[in-house]
């Protein structure tokens, strides 16, 4: 008898009600479906780390970053013993690329180097499952030289220089 089974030479299997009957060379035996077969639990995905410019950050649902904090590494995993060995992930960065991408085996991190300014949302889920999608939002501020007030200041300075140049020319004449 191995693992409660009299023989592994199974000739026929028949589920009846709460029992599964096996016909083998040792005779007929059955097991209770409720106590023998475990229901599979969909693994839950969670974030394990967020690094900004190679510095580990506190895990938050959203990050407001300056324009030079645009190198981001995101690590994630699933619950369960050795689950990362058997799980592939799909991820995307909405605002940058809306298409789902799939990780390789044993890969549970994503790196983004030089993200542009603006709002983006990182989403990750377990590939080929109905698992929930986990999200982290990133808001990377524009550099000061790409803001409206900087453009207005440059236009004002150029207009002042142009006015001073023509005023000087008129005074010379």
């Amino acid at each position: 008898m191995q693992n409660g089974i009299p023989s592994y030479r199974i000739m026929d299997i028949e589920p009846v009600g709460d029992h599964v009957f096996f016909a083998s060379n040792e005779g007929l035996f059955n097991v209770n479906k409720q106590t023998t077969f475990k229901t599979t639990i969909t693994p839950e995905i969670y974030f394990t780390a967020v690094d900004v410019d190679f510095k580990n950050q506190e895990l938050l649902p959203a990050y407001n970053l300056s324009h030079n904090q645009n190198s981001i590494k995101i690590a994630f995993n699933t619950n369960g013993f050795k689950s990362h060995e058997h799980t592939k992930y799909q991820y995307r960065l909405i605002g940058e690329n809306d298409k789902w991408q799939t990780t390789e085996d044993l890969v549970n991190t994503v790196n983004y180097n030089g993200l542009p300014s603006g709002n983006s949302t990182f989403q990750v889920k377990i590939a080929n499952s109905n698992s929930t999608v986990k999200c982290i939002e990133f808001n990377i501020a524009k550099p000061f030289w790409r803001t409206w007030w900087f453009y207005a200041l440059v236009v004002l300075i150029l207009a002042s220089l142009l006015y001073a140049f023509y005023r000087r020319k008129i005074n010379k004449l």
Side-chain angles (χ1 to χ4, degrees), residues 7-137:
S7 172
Y8 284 124
R9 298 176 94 190
I10 308 288
M11 313 312 188
D12 194 19
I13 299 174
E14 186 69 34
V16 177
D18 286 342
H19 294 276
V20 177
F21 291 88
F22 296 88
S24 74
N25 62 337
E26 296 286 326
L28 184 67
F29 62 97
N30 73 61
V31 294
N32 186 318
K33 279 197 265 185
Q34 305 301 325
T35 58
T36 306
F37 302 108
K38 296 180 183 176
T39 57
T40 57
I41 298 171
T42 304
E44 181 96 12
I45 193 165
Y46 60 94
F47 294 106
T48 57
V50 173
D51 293 353
V52 176
D53 290 338
F54 307 105
K55 293 177 189 148
N56 197 313
Q57 305 292 312
E58 178 184 356
L59 289 175
L60 300 171
Y63 294 88
N64 291 314
L65 306 170
S66 66
H67 74 278
N68 58 352
Q69 293 179 306
N70 58 2
S71 178
I72 297 171
K73 178 181 176 184
I74 305 164
F76 38 86
N77 209 343
T78 54
N79 59 345
F81 183 66
K82 293 188 174 185
S83 63
H84 69 281
E85 293 179 8
H86 309 290
T87 305
K88 283 189 176 188
Y89 303 95
Q90 288 184 310
Y91 66 92
R92 64 182 175 179
L93 187 64
I94 296 177
E96 190 66 24
N97 183 1
D98 293 350
K99 187 176 179 185
W100 288 101
Q101 299 176 38
T102 305
T103 63
E104 298 293 325
D105 289 337
L106 301 175
V107 174
N108 62 347
T109 60
V110 175
N111 293 312
Y112 292 103
N113 295 319
L115 280 178
S117 59
N119 295 327
S120 54
T121 302
F122 177 79
Q123 295 183 328
V124 64
K125 66 180 182 175
I126 299 169
N128 303 324
S129 78
N130 293 334
S131 68
T132 58
V133 175
K134 295 292 183 171
C135 303
I136 295 181
E137 294 181 14

